């Protein structure tokens, strides 16, 4: 799977996702705030580019949208210092971390992994990317409208773990490679998708993206 940066294809490697990175979102789901970044992965097959329809998995009746700032790593590394972290970014985009909330809830209750809830085909909607110089990730704003109604409004200044902190943590714990994507967490306002829903995402000074849920 490739993503587009400045009109050029970029091959994707690992898809990292950060959970509970906005206090208000953790609160709305009744989750505790973690003492370090909460990391999970999505398979590359979960990536869904702009223009492709969202197909809800047959095994869930409660798939939620989660709009997020997404980071594209341009230069990998291990043990990256926070002060140097943003130099490793190639670009920024916007995406959706789709979650089968009923499946996730059952997995959490039983102490099982979340992969079935987070990694189904199309569960990682992704826009194109703008170069890293186009915006400040420490003051990035983004929105999600569903059927023309504002549902989520994100401000990266409210992140519990800023982008530089996340990059440093991932590099120390897992190592980073060029082409890695990082979904940086969602603000409050998540909710269920319905067949036929129209979703419009916008990143200030960045890309816009649109998806439709298959009716």
């Amino acid at each position: 799977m490739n993503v587009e940066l400045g009109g050029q294809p970029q091959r994707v490697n690992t898809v990292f996702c950060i959970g509970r990175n906005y206090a208000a979102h953790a609160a709305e789901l009744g989750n505790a705030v973690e003492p370090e970044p909460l990391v999970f992965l999505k398979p590359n097959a979960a990536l869904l580019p702009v223009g492709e329809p969202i197909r809800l998995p047959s095994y869930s009746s409660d798939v939620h949208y989660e709009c997020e700032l997404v980071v594209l790593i341009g230069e990998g590394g291990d043990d990256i210092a926070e002060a140097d972290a943003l130099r490793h970014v190639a670009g920024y985009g916007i995406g959706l971390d789709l979650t089968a909330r009923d499946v996730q809830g059952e997995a959490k209750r039983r102490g099982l992994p979340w992969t079935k809830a987070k990694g189904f085909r199309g569960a990682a909607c992704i826009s194109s990317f703008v170069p890293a110089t186009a915006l400040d990730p420490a003051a990035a704003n983004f929105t999600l409208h569903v059927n023309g109604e504002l549902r989520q409004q994100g401000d990266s200044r409210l992140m519990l773990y800023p982008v530089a902190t996340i990059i440093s943590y991932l590099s120390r714990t897992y190592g980073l490679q060029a082409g890695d994507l990082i979904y940086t967490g969602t603000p409050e306002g998540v909710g269920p998708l319905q067949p036929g829903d129209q979703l419009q995402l916008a990143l200030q000074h960045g890309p816009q993206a649109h998806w439709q849920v298959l009716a």
Side-chain angles (χ1 to χ4, degrees), residues 56 193-197 213-215:
L56 302 178
L193 291 173
Q194 302 297 332
D197 279 349
V213 181
L214 195 66

Side-chain angles (χ1 to χ4, degrees), residues 72-124:
L72 172 63
I73 295 297
E75 179 184 349
D78 299 324
D79 301 313
I80 299 169
E82 280 193 42
D84 299 325
L86 298 183
R87 301 175 190 171
H88 291 256
V89 177
Y92 298 100
I94 194 167
L96 292 168
D97 164 18
L98 299 185
T99 304
R101 193 71 71 199
D102 48 356
V103 177
Q104 184 191 38
E106 177 65 12
K108 289 166 65 177
R109 186 184 69 80
R110 298 173 59 192
L112 299 175
W114 301 350
T115 307
K116 190 175 182 181
K118 289 282 195 177
F120 56 87
R121 286 168 292 183

Side-chain angles (χ1 to χ4, degrees), residues 11-43:
R11 183 175 178 82
V12 175
N13 285 311
T14 303
V15 181
F16 293 99
C17 301
I18 307 299
R20 306 179 190 175
N21 200 22
Y22 289 81
H25 170 59
E28 75 178 342
L29 296 184
N31 292 323
V33 171
E34 300 298 325
E36 63 181 23
L38 175 62
V39 181
F40 60 94
L41 306 179
K42 287 181 183 265

Side-chain angles (χ1 to χ4, degrees), residues 82-196:
E82 280 193 42
D84 299 325
L86 298 183
R87 301 175 190 171
H88 291 256
V89 177
Y92 298 100
I94 194 167
L96 292 168
D97 164 18
L98 299 185
T99 304
R101 193 71 71 199
D102 48 356
V103 177
Q104 184 191 38
E106 177 65 12
K108 289 166 65 177
R109 186 184 69 80
R110 298 173 59 192
L112 299 175
W114 301 350
T115 307
K116 190 175 182 181
K118 289 282 195 177
F120 56 87
R121 286 168 292 183
C125 302
I126 192 65
S127 72
S128 60
F129 286 77
V130 294
T133 55
L135 62 86
D136 177 4
N141 295 283
F142 55 92
T143 56
L144 167 66
H145 288 77
V146 179
N147 302 325
E149 178 185 346
L150 180 64
R151 297 287 181 85
Q152 287 189 280
Q153 192 160 6
D155 182 343
S156 65
R157 289 171 291 189
L158 300 178
M159 285 181 176
L160 299 174
Y161 299 102
V163 170
T165 302
I166 293 169
I167 291 171
S168 179
Y169 178 84
L170 292 175
S171 74
R172 287 184 283 109
T173 309
Y174 307 101
L176 287 173
Q177 302 177 67
D180 287 348
L181 296 181
I182 306 171
Y183 283 66
T184 59
T186 196
E188 72 273 22
V190 302
L193 291 173
Q194 302 297 332

